[in-house]
């Protein structure tokens, strides 16, 4: 599925972004009793047909930060002092 999506989006002139991540840790008690319990972390991948300065860079994030991180990488949000509302990007007061 990832290959099909990226093949379709790669030649497009308009910037396109995809984000993949695991949304849960599977329940496998027998495996955990042998290897130990997982830490709850999961990998994610951001992909763009325009390339990115962040390509190949690892950055640990909380799951609730991932959407905002994607919007910043796509330059929808200009920087860390901005938030996103239904009207668009805006700066947080006092910052």
């Amino acid at each position: 599925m990832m290959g099909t999506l990226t093949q379709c989006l790669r030649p497009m002139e308009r910037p396109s972004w995809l984000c993949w991540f695991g949304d849960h840790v599977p329940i496998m008690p027998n495996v955990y009793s042998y290897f130990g319990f997982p830490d709850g972390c999961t990998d994610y991948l951001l992909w763009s047909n325009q390339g990115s300065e962040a390509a190949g860079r690892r950055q640990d994030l909380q799951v609730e930060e991932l959407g905002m991180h994607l919007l910043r990488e796509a330059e929808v949000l200009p920087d860390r002092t901005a938030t996103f509302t239904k009207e668009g990007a805006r700066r947080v007061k006092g910052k």
Side-chain angles (χ1 to χ4, degrees):
M1 180 198 287
M2 290 171 63
T4 301
L5 284 170
T6 57
Q7 285 177 357
C8 290
L9 294 173
R10 186 171 281 120
M12 298 181 95
E13 291 182 27
R14 185 175 182 167
S16 301
W17 287 79
L18 296 172
C19 177
W20 286 277
F21 68 99
D23 64 346
H24 69 282
V25 176
I27 299 171
M28 301 185 311
N30 293 336
V31 173
Y32 300 151
S33 67
Y34 183 79
F35 289 106
F37 287 90
D39 61 7
C41 293
T42 185
D43 293 329
Y44 71 92
L45 172 73
L46 299 180
W47 177 90
S48 170
N49 66 339
Q50 305 294 307
S52 172
E53 290 181 21
R57 183 181 71 199
R58 177 190 169 102
Q59 185 172 354
D60 292 334
L61 300 170
Q62 297 293 317
V63 68
E64 62 271 14
E65 298 173 316
L66 187 54
M68 296 294 281
H69 182 71
L70 172 61
L71 294 174
R72 286 188 188 98
E73 287 294 323
E75 297 180 352
V76 174
L77 291 180
D79 57 39
R80 294 203 172 276
T81 64
T83 60
F84 192 74
T85 67
K86 64 181 180 179
E87 293 82 23
R90 67 174 178 83
R91 292 201 177 275
V92 176
K93 291 183 180 179
K95 293 189 179 182

